[in-house]
Amino acid sequence: MRHVPLRFLPLRKLPALALPFACMAISATASAAQPQPAPAIALNQLGFLPGAAKVAVVPDGAARSFAIVKAGTDTVVLDGALAPAAAAPESGDRVRLATFTALATPGRYQVRVAGLPDSPPFDVGPGVFQAVNAASIKAFYFNRTAIPLEERHAGIFKRPAGHPDTRVLVHASAASPARPAGTVIASPKGWYDAGDYNKYIVNSGITTYTLLAAWEDFPALFKAQNLGIPESGNALPDLLDEALWNLEWMLTMQDPADGGVYHKLTNLGFDGMVMPDKATQPRYVVQKTTAAALNFAAVMAMASRVYAPYEQQMPGMAARMLAASKAAWQWAQAHPRVYYQQPKDVSTGEYGDKDVSDEFGWAAAELFVTTGDAAWYKAMNAPALQASVPSWAEVRGLAWMSLARHRDTLNAAADKALIASRIDTLSASLAAGWKKSAYGIPMQPADYVWGSSAVALNQAMVLLHGYRMTSKRDYLDAAQAGLDYALGRNAVGISFVTGFGTKSPMHPHHRPSEADGIRAPVPGWIVGGPQPAQQDKKDCPVPYPSALPARSYVDHACSYASNEVAINWNAPLVYVSAGVQALTPAAGK
């Protein structure tokens, strides 16, 4: 991600084929007809849980009321007044909110406003997010390296294996006495990071954390889930099987001689728009960095406690992970300012980060939670560590969410009042933004950055932690609004998740989706979303429709700046689509 590809192949999409997935309810959406134009009424295009807040965005006009009708009929089941008009500078429009939270009877409905086309149909029911949650996890399977995707698991998206990574060269930037430049090592498994075919430890950090956090917070939702991956039916839940595919790769990225961790495994340059098995450039591990070591240390400490109950199935794995975490921490302590510097002969994604104070705090927090050793809490320097919405380069919020998750069982050294304050203060700030937003979402104009869809979902993840800790309903409703944004309540009227919604991306910047000859993109991926910098503008044959932050989006494979996919963006979709199911009270409560 965050790159200019070498070249684009012409868009050659064939008619959609049926998806023979017996294990997931995504086949109809993934092979749907060409999406319709953006709807005038913007709302979550999948639907709502009966007890959830329910809101649609209506363009300002003559109407002052709305009705909810049974889909495709004139049968009115609820009506109400539209809220006063409000200006949205990020999208350049004036809109009114239609709130219909009282609608709790399961069924299929539409919002009707005089003078406008009816909204896209949406469902109300207890299972509205099950399919998108399953698909958002299975997207990781579709991005696995080193394994063929067989038809029985992948349906029409079957493909040969790509990048076995059993013969990876040590780049000169990563050379050491025990492993001089040109040394061949094996580093298989893992996920392709984004629309490209490389693997990056720093981005794997927040990604794998978020998947494991979903498991720690909502295990009941995942224990019986069958994703139809090769490991389905074994002794581990599928979510943990999928995360383990990446964790096992991460373990190979640690130098056993000193505990340092390579920053990335990559080609020297990006591949073209070809399938993985056609991408055959030599592969390298590049430079050890402090950021990589600390991301690795944090995730391995967390994974060691998550997988500890499965000792019988994976003897020694939890202990191995914890030992690897501590070794990486020690390397980082000895090398506290080794920042990534792109070698002259490498042009793939950097994930450079020259402030690793947050990574030190996060890694120490995870080691504290896992070991109970008060020395790790001291190393975290909690009073100086603030909480913020997480991103790959800003992970201090992950530390506070882990502490909040385990606060009832923490060593007495932990300041539980400070933990609660950090989460509540951040959640309150996000809820305040939600209340003042014309679209009724936590997203503010400055939040439309690269990967804005993930900003919305990471905000929602924080808010769900705030709700779990305080039971403040505003936090839950604001989190729901963040998910609604990702699924259609936005200025471009699109569900940003491939294969889901009346209108969803058809041409994500994702090499397999563009090179496989199938009209439908691989389902379950959330694209980056609007952002006004438009770094790919010179590379795209189609223009952006607007420079306004909330409208700066184009559904074309050229648009790596607004339409790429990435593992760290999908992970909070997994978390939030699970969390709203687990935490939303029954209707009327």
Side-chain angles (χ1 to χ4, degrees), residues 374-571:
W376 293 113
Y377 187 78
K378 183 178 180 181
M380 179 187 163
N381 193 16
L385 194 72
Q386 298 300 314
S388 57
V389 175
S391 66
W392 69 263
E394 177 50 78
V395 294
R396 65 194 75 228
L398 305 183
W400 291 109
M401 285 189 282
S402 283
L403 292 171
R405 180 177 305 120
H406 294 280
R407 66 193 182 283
D408 292 340
T409 58
L410 291 177
N411 182 299
D415 185 340
K416 295 183 180 180
L418 180 63
I419 295 168
S421 174
R422 288 285 193 264
I423 295 295
D424 190 35
T425 299
L426 181 55
S427 298
S429 175
L430 293 169
W434 161 70
K435 286 183 176 180
K436 73 178 185 181
S437 162
Y439 274 69
I441 56 177
M443 291 282 283
Q444 302 301 301
D447 293 328
Y448 290 90
V449 296
W450 202 318
S452 58
S453 298
V455 174
L457 292 169
N458 279 311
Q459 291 172 338
M461 181 167 67
V462 170
L463 286 157
L464 289 175
H465 277 79
Y467 176 70
R468 293 181 79 219
M469 192 166 58
T470 68
S471 297
K472 294 178 182 178
R473 182 63 194 237
D474 277 359
Y475 295 170
L476 177 63
D477 291 350
Q480 174 71 54
L483 181 60
D484 290 349
Y485 168 85
L487 294 173
R489 199 214 298 182
N490 53 62
V492 291
I494 188 171
S495 165
F496 291 117
V497 183
T498 57
F500 286 84
T502 304
K503 181 178 175 62
S504 62
M506 291 298 291
H507 299 289
H509 183 86
H510 179 235
R511 281 160 174 75
S513 289
E514 283 302 302
D516 61 9
I518 301 166
R519 188 186 60 80
V522 175
W525 283 108
I526 190 164
V527 299
Q531 62 105 357
Q534 301 180 358
Q535 291 91 340
D536 51 26
K537 187 174 182 179
K538 66 182 184 302
D539 303 301
C540 280
V542 295
Y544 278 80
S546 174
L548 290 167
R551 296 186 182 276
S552 182
Y553 169 79
V554 59
D555 181 14
H556 194 288
C558 67
S559 185
Y560 50 86
S562 76
N563 210 39
E564 189 171 12
V565 305
I567 56 174
N568 63 310
W569 301 341
N570 246 58

Side-chain angles (χ1 to χ4, degrees), residues 38-234:
I41 299 173
L43 81 171
N44 180 329
Q45 295 174 15
L46 298 191
F48 304 90
L49 298 164
K54 304 173 187 72
V55 177
V57 176
V58 178
D60 185 25
R64 296 294 181 268
S65 63
F66 71 94
I68 305 296
V69 299
K70 290 185 177 181
T73 77
D74 293 324
T75 304
V76 176
V77 298
L78 183 150
D79 56 27
L82 294 169
E90 65 272 29
S91 53
D93 54 0
R94 289 175 60 82
V95 297
R96 297 174 181 268
L97 299 183
T99 300
F100 48 101
T101 301
L103 179 66
T105 303
R108 190 162 179 81
Y109 303 97
Q110 290 174 283
V111 179
R112 179 167 293 172
V113 175
L116 296 174
D118 288 351
S119 77
F122 61 89
D123 292 310
V124 172
V128 291
F129 300 125
Q130 291 175 359
V132 73
N133 177 259
S136 65
I137 302 170
K138 191 157 184 176
F140 290 89
Y141 162 75
F142 286 123
N143 252 35
R144 285 189 188 186
T145 73
I147 186 175
L149 305 189
E150 299 177 354
E151 185 172 3
R152 60 186 173 136
H153 303 301
I156 61 171
F157 300 107
K158 64 182 180 180
R159 60 169 172 80
H163 302 96
D165 289 336
T166 52
R167 291 186 55 81
V168 177
L169 302 173
V170 174
H171 190 269
S173 63
S176 65
R179 288 180 170 180
T183 300
V184 176
I185 66 171
S187 188
K189 297 190 174 183
W191 304 307
Y192 297 125
D193 177 72
D196 64 306
Y197 290 144
N198 303 304
K199 302 185 285 191
Y200 307 83
I201 285 290
V202 167
N203 208 40
S204 276
I206 186 172
T207 302
T208 313
Y209 166 92
T210 305
L211 296 182
L212 297 180
W215 169 260
E216 285 199 305
D217 284 342
F218 315 116
L221 278 175
F222 301 109
K223 283 181 178 177
Q225 192 178 55
N226 186 329
L227 300 176
I229 59 177
E231 298 82 6
S232 293
N234 69 2

